[in-house]
Amino acid sequence: ISREGKTGFMRNHRVLVGDNVQAFASAPGVGMADSTVIDLYVVSDDRGRVVGRPVLTALLDGYSYLCLGYSLGWEGGEYSLQSLIVNTVTDKKGHCHKFGIEITGDEWPSALPGCIVTDRGSDYAGNTFGQLAELGIKIINLEAYRADEKGVVEKFFDTIQGFFKPHLKGAGVVAGEYLERGSYFADYKEKSYLTLREFETILLRCIVHYNSRHIIRKFPFTEEMARMGIKPYSNCIWKYGIENLRGSNVLADVTKEQAVLTLLPRTSGSFSRFGLKVNGLRYFCDGFFERCLKGGKATVAYDR
């Protein structure tokens, strides 16, 4: 540490011991969130130009490895996190139906964990994400370069991309072998033809398969789980944990509207007889007449 600093030590020299994920999540209710840039270029809706590589943000249950929610867009930040939490509490059966995919409620449960583990990325370090604490959700920020303590979500990104990459060769997929000299896919960026919605449909099918058909090979099954015939799928392990484990981790009872309003960005506004002034604009609403006459400052949540 004295030679390279704490950051260099954490990144290159620290010892990895034990299963840090299981130490965090001995029962359902601990979510692990992170973001990654998808290894695929997509095009605009009119297919006129290549737009770029979308950002996937995901929230996974640390105990069962179940994907609880996701967000797919062009950038991270406060709105991708809002979209992630809203998707997590949204009924997945109805959400998949919008993309022409029919599932049962057991294939993809909808629940928001009472504890969320993140790294110190800029998306999670701001005040907006911390506002989830107002809903009774505990936020744990890991130290830098501690991906092993949220390895569930890191492995999820690799697994999901491993599902669709072999089938989308020549459709904009980024891979090392495509960059070799003489490779047919060297111009992979120009070969892309999927729109964001088309790719999201593919992504949804991959997530449903991951939750209900992908075998969790290294899960520490107990003798009781073996006797009960629990299948090694994330949704089955989740259901077992919810019904049989009474750990300290609980699920948050949050509605979609509560999630949206809580995660809106906030700023300072001022009341006057002309109304509430926020971001250079004036607003008026019935019921705030007395407050406008009294004046004073206020904290305001707003939608850009």
Side-chain angles (χ1 to χ4, degrees):
I1 293 176
S2 63
R3 187 183 307 115
E4 298 185 15
K6 188 175 181 180
T7 299
F9 169 77
M10 295 294 290
R11 182 175 62 234
N12 300 319
H13 302 291
R14 65 186 175 83
V15 178
L16 297 179
V17 292
D19 190 339
N20 287 304
V21 172
Q22 289 298 321
F24 260 127
S26 58
V30 176
M32 299 186 175
D34 204 356
S35 302
T36 190
V37 179
I38 293 293
D39 292 335
L40 176 80
Y41 282 91
V42 299
V43 299
S44 57
D45 291 338
D46 60 359
R47 305 186 194 277
R49 60 189 177 90
V50 177
V51 181
R53 295 163 59 183
V55 176
L56 173 63
T57 305
L59 178 65
L60 270 75
D61 177 59
Y63 171 76
S64 63
Y65 299 30
L66 183 80
C67 177
L68 296 170
Y70 79 99
S71 171
L72 186 68
W74 296 117
E75 59 183 358
E78 57 196 28
Y79 282 97
S80 71
L81 293 174
Q82 184 187 89
S83 177
L84 170 67
I85 300 301
V86 169
N87 178 264
T88 301
V89 300
T90 298
D91 175 55
K92 302 304 190 301
K93 187 176 180 179
H95 178 70
C96 290
H97 179 73
K98 296 178 182 177
F99 291 83
I101 302 172
E102 302 300 330
I103 65 172
T104 63
D106 290 338
E107 286 183 285
W108 195 351
S110 299
L112 184 63
C115 175
I116 297 180
V117 180
T118 70
D119 56 20
R120 295 185 181 273
S122 58
D123 294 350
Y124 310 100
N127 294 329
T128 303
F129 189 69
Q131 290 164 192
L132 281 174
E134 298 174 9
L135 299 175
I137 298 174
K138 182 179 180 181
I139 307 295
I140 297 179
N141 289 316
L142 301 176
E143 293 188 30
Y145 303 104
R146 290 312 303 260
D148 58 304
E149 292 190 339
K150 57 180 180 64
V152 170
V153 67
E154 304 285 354
K155 182 62 178 177
F156 168 78
F157 291 140
D158 290 339
T159 302
I160 285 294
Q161 298 200 83
F163 287 160
F164 67 76
K165 273 187 174 183
H167 303 283
L168 296 180
K169 287 184 177 180
V173 166
V174 180
E177 63 268 24
Y178 300 165
L179 303 179
E180 296 178 1
R181 184 175 181 181
S183 171
Y184 173 75
F185 299 115
D187 56 344
Y188 57 86
K189 183 176 179 180
E190 301 301 325
K191 298 286 185 179
S192 57
Y193 59 81
L194 291 172
T195 65
L196 185 64
R197 182 176 177 83
E198 289 171 343
F199 172 68
E200 187 167 0
T201 304
I202 296 172
L203 178 67
L204 273 172
R205 292 189 181 277
C206 292
I207 293 177
V208 172
H209 176 79
Y210 172 88
N211 281 342
S212 59
R213 291 293 181 269
H214 175 67
I215 296 176
I216 307 299
R217 300 187 181 278
K218 295 185 179 182
F219 185 83
F221 276 86
T222 63
E223 293 183 4
E224 180 185 9
M225 297 176 73
R227 287 195 304 268
M228 295 176 65
I230 304 300
K231 295 181 180 180
Y233 305 140
S234 293
N235 62 333
C236 298
I237 298 172
W238 165 271
K239 185 177 180 180
Y240 166 82
I242 292 295
E243 295 176 351
N244 297 277
L245 298 180
R246 296 290 184 267
S248 59
N249 307 320
V250 296
L251 301 179
D253 185 14
V254 177
T255 65
K256 182 177 179 179
E257 183 180 11
Q258 286 177 317
V260 171
L261 295 177
T262 301
L263 288 173
L264 286 175
R266 301 179 186 183
T267 187
S268 178
S270 60
F271 282 103
S272 72
R273 60 177 180 167
F274 299 107
L276 174 64
K277 187 175 181 180
V278 185
N279 295 332
L281 299 174
R282 292 197 298 268
Y283 299 88
F284 183 76
C285 180
D286 292 336
F288 279 83
F289 186 72
E290 292 293 333
R291 186 71 185 268
C292 291
L293 290 179
K294 292 180 180 179
K297 300 289 185 180
T299 300
V300 181
Y302 65 97
D303 189 334
R304 289 199 175 114

